[in-house]
């Protein structure tokens, strides 16, 4: 009995909600969220798609604001028809722009012909069912179909082309689009069943539609803001830890890994080795071919090193043309073999499509008990070994004497 009473009361409360007020709430929420997105657009202009997505939120806000204005012109048929057409056009256009903005933000190519065709299809059918044949159900079915296509495309791109740094936010927005598809399907089924004649008619179908738009628009826009924030954080972190030219770790970023290797050695005597190397006659390369080709040699060197090291080995640009390689769980003999293999690989693979022949010299050392948890002595030792390799004629590997 209590359950029946509560259900009755809840049903009465739902049906008492004012559709016009809900439409204004959706519009106000879109405006507030668009302000945040416009801020992000100026903050992160280097990313594509944010501006387009922000325009979508503005169009959505204007579109939903038009609905409660329409009853004011109930006796002016031409103005009423124009407002009906404009409101529908702005809302569906905003959904198309959301999808385009997301695709561009993911750095994917837009199929312009597809979206022009989709927009044209909606525009032509909307004109027909507003001005020539007033059919509320047909207008809504066309809008539902158009928005559903956009939602499916957005999910596809979010799941297929997402960057590893955007996994959480991409999944979050994908779930929102999926929920949106479910509500669209519900509306497509219930509109004919409920015999709904107008968008501002106070019935359960329209109330659920405005309520779902209010919640899901907020979640989608929040998810997009999360995605922009995650990408900003990822790129800032990347700039702070990677060398801009070679994409190897920079010297500061390498230090925590060295500290961790020392801590592992102190706890369990787990060995690790270091290789220090630089390019032979690098100044001559710059003088002969130009500094741009010198940069290309460093990029080529880093690429060869990454391709021929284990996945857990780490490369850092230590300074200029000098690189430091950390080999975890590696003793001196194994490190020497690795270094020699790298030397031969570089010798056999000239840079710039085989036009620039160059070699490297390497110093190798392994951390042991005599260093007492301090790395400086080992770094000095492998640096001296590198110097000795150059003195001996270059293009060779020398072990540090104190290892």
């Amino acid at each position: 009995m209590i359950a029946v009473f509560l259900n009755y009361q809840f049903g009465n409360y739902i049906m008492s909600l004012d559709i016009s007020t809900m439409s204004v709430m959706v519009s106000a929420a879109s405006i507030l969220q668009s302000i945040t997105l416009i801020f992000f657009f100026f903050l992160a202009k280097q990313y594509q798609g944010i501006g387009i997505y922000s325009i979508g939120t503005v169009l959505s806000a204007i579109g939903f604001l038009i609905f409660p204005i329409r009853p004011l012109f109930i006796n002016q048929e031409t103005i009423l028809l124009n407002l009906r057409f404009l409101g529908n056009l702005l809302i569906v256009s905003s959904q198309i722009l959301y999808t385009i903005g997301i695709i561009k933000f993911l750095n994917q190519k837009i199929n312009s012909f597809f979206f022009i065709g989709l927009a044209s299809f909606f525009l032509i059918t909307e004109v027909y069912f507003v001005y020539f044949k007033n059919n509320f159900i047909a207008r809504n079915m066309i809008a539902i179909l158009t928005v559903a296509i956009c939602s499916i495309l957005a999910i596809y791109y979010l799941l297929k082309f997402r960057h590893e740094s955007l996994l959480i936010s991409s999944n979050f927005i994908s779930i929102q689009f999926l929920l949106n598809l479910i509500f669209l399907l519900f509306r497509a089924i219930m509109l004919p069943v409920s015999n709904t004649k107008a968008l501002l008619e106070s019935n359960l179908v329209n109330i659920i539609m405005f309520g779902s738009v209010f919640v899901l628009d907020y979640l989608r826009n929040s998810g997009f803001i999360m995605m922009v924030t995650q990408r900003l954080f990822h790129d800032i972190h990347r700039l702070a830890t990677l060398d801009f030219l070679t994409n190897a770790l920079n010297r500061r970023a390498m230090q925590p890994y060295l500290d961790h290797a020392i801590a592992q050695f102190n706890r369990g005597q787990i060995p690790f080795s270091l290789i220090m190397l630089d390019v032979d006659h690098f100044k001559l390369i710059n003088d002969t071919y130009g500094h741009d080709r010198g940069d290309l040699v460093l990029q080529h060197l880093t690429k060869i090193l990454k391709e021929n090291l284990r996945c857990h080995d780490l490369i850092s640009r230590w300074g200029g043309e000098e690189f430091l390689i950390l080999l975890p769980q590696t003793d001196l003999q194994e490190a020497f073999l690795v270094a020699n293999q790298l030397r031969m690989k570089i010798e056999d693979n000239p840079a710039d499509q085989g036009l620039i022949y160059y070699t490297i010299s390497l110093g190798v050392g392994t951390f042991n008990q005599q260093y007492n948890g301090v790395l400086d002595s080992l770094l000095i030792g492998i640096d001296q070994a590198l110097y000795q390799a150059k003195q001996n004629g270059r293009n060779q590997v020398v072990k540090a004497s104190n290892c």
Side-chain angles (χ1 to χ4, degrees):
M1 197 67 185
I2 295 174
V4 172
F5 174 76
L6 290 175
N7 287 334
Y8 175 76
Q9 291 294 101
F10 180 72
N12 285 340
Y13 171 74
I14 291 295
M15 296 306 295
S16 67
L17 291 174
D18 182 67
I19 294 293
S20 296
T21 303
M22 294 183 71
S23 182
V24 172
M25 288 173 59
V26 172
S27 177
S30 294
I31 291 172
L32 293 173
Q33 291 155 31
S34 67
I35 291 172
T36 305
L37 284 161
I38 290 169
F39 167 78
F40 269 100
F41 170 70
F42 288 106
L43 181 67
K45 286 184 178 179
Q46 68 272 30
Y47 302 139
Q48 300 182 73
I50 301 177
I52 294 174
Y53 190 98
S54 301
I55 293 171
T57 60
V58 174
L59 294 185
S60 177
I62 298 172
F64 278 105
L65 196 58
I66 286 175
F67 291 130
I69 295 175
R70 280 164 45 181
L72 300 176
F73 301 93
I74 193 69
N75 296 320
Q76 301 180 51
E77 186 65 23
T78 302
I79 296 177
L80 188 62
L81 288 175
N82 290 335
L83 288 176
R84 178 183 294 159
F85 172 76
L86 183 60
N88 294 343
L89 179 64
L90 289 174
I91 289 173
V92 173
S93 297
S94 71
Q95 300 295 320
I96 294 174
L97 291 179
Y98 291 149
T99 300
I100 293 174
I102 287 172
I103 294 172
K104 289 185 74 67
F105 183 78
L106 296 172
N107 294 325
Q108 299 304 310
K109 188 176 180 181
I110 297 292
N111 189 332
S112 301
F113 292 109
F114 173 82
F115 282 103
I116 291 172
L118 183 65
S120 300
F121 165 75
F122 172 77
L123 184 62
I124 292 169
T125 54
E126 188 70 12
V127 168
Y128 178 75
F129 288 115
V130 170
Y131 293 103
F132 297 97
K133 185 177 181 180
N134 186 8
N135 190 320
F136 174 78
I137 298 294
R139 287 198 304 272
N140 274 261
M141 290 301 179
I142 296 299
I144 288 170
L145 176 62
T146 306
V147 175
I149 291 171
C150 291
S151 297
I152 292 170
L153 272 175
I155 293 172
Y156 170 76
Y157 277 92
L158 282 165
L159 295 181
K160 183 170 183 179
F161 299 106
R162 59 188 175 180
H163 189 269
E164 60 180 6
S165 65
L166 306 176
L167 292 180
I168 295 175
S169 54
S170 296
N171 289 337
F172 184 85
I173 303 177
S174 297
I175 292 171
Q176 182 279 326
F177 276 113
L178 181 61
L179 291 173
N180 190 46
L181 283 172
I182 293 172
F183 279 106
L184 288 172
L185 179 62
F186 169 80
R187 184 167 177 79
I189 295 171
M190 293 303 298
L191 276 177
V193 174
S194 63
N195 198 30
T196 303
K197 301 294 185 182
L199 189 64
L200 297 181
E201 183 180 316
S202 286
N203 63 19
L204 188 61
V205 177
N206 285 337
I207 289 171
I208 289 176
M209 189 275 287
F210 277 103
S212 65
V213 168
F214 181 81
V215 173
L216 295 179
D217 268 20
Y218 171 77
L219 292 177
R220 185 199 58 249
N221 293 337
S222 298
F224 189 77
I225 292 170
M226 285 167 52
M227 194 157 64
V228 175
T229 305
Q230 278 191 307
R231 189 164 176 183
L232 276 169
F233 175 81
H234 175 265
D235 288 352
I236 290 171
H237 181 265
R238 183 174 177 274
L239 288 172
T241 57
L242 296 183
D243 173 61
F244 74 96
L245 179 64
T246 62
N247 275 335
L249 292 172
N250 59 34
R251 188 164 183 163
R252 177 180 293 179
M254 185 64 152
Q255 191 58 52
Y257 294 104
L258 296 173
D259 294 338
H260 178 68
I262 293 172
Q264 281 193 317
F265 179 86
N266 291 335
R267 285 195 304 267
Q269 300 296 301
I270 300 174
F272 71 90
S273 297
L274 298 177
I275 300 174
M276 188 172 287
L277 63 92
D278 73 4
V279 181
D280 296 329
H281 300 296
F282 187 68
K283 184 178 182 304
L284 182 61
I285 293 174
N286 280 332
D287 292 342
T288 305
Y289 299 101
H291 287 274
D292 58 332
R293 288 293 184 269
D295 290 345
L296 190 147
V297 167
L298 295 180
Q299 292 170 338
H300 176 266
L301 169 62
T302 309
K303 180 176 179 291
I304 296 294
L305 294 177
K306 288 181 177 180
E307 289 175 351
N308 289 277
L309 287 169
R310 300 166 299 185
C311 59
H312 59 275
D313 297 332
L314 295 170
I315 308 167
S316 67
R317 188 178 179 188
W318 206 243
E321 72 274 20
E322 193 171 70
F323 290 79
L324 183 71
I325 301 174
L326 170 62
L327 304 174
Q329 302 178 26
T330 307
D331 59 25
L332 183 60
Q333 189 58 37
E334 187 179 357
F336 181 84
L337 292 175
V338 170
N340 204 43
Q341 288 172 354
L342 294 174
R343 181 193 65 78
M344 290 187 293
K345 203 72 179 179
I346 295 297
E347 186 179 16
D348 294 338
N349 290 274
D352 195 15
Q353 299 179 341
L355 298 177
I356 302 178
Y357 173 83
Y358 70 101
T359 59
I360 57 173
S361 297
L362 309 93
V364 182
T366 298
F367 194 81
N368 55 43
Q369 291 89 340
Q370 75 180 62
Y371 296 114
N372 296 319
V374 179
L375 192 64
D376 290 350
S377 298
L378 177 58
L379 290 173
I380 292 172
I382 60 174
D383 188 53
Q384 291 173 344
L386 172 60
Y387 177 77
Q388 188 62 49
K390 289 185 173 294
Q391 290 294 103
N392 293 345
R394 295 182 171 82
N395 191 24
Q396 57 185 274
V397 182
V398 173
K399 297 178 185 177
S401 58
N402 54 350
C403 293

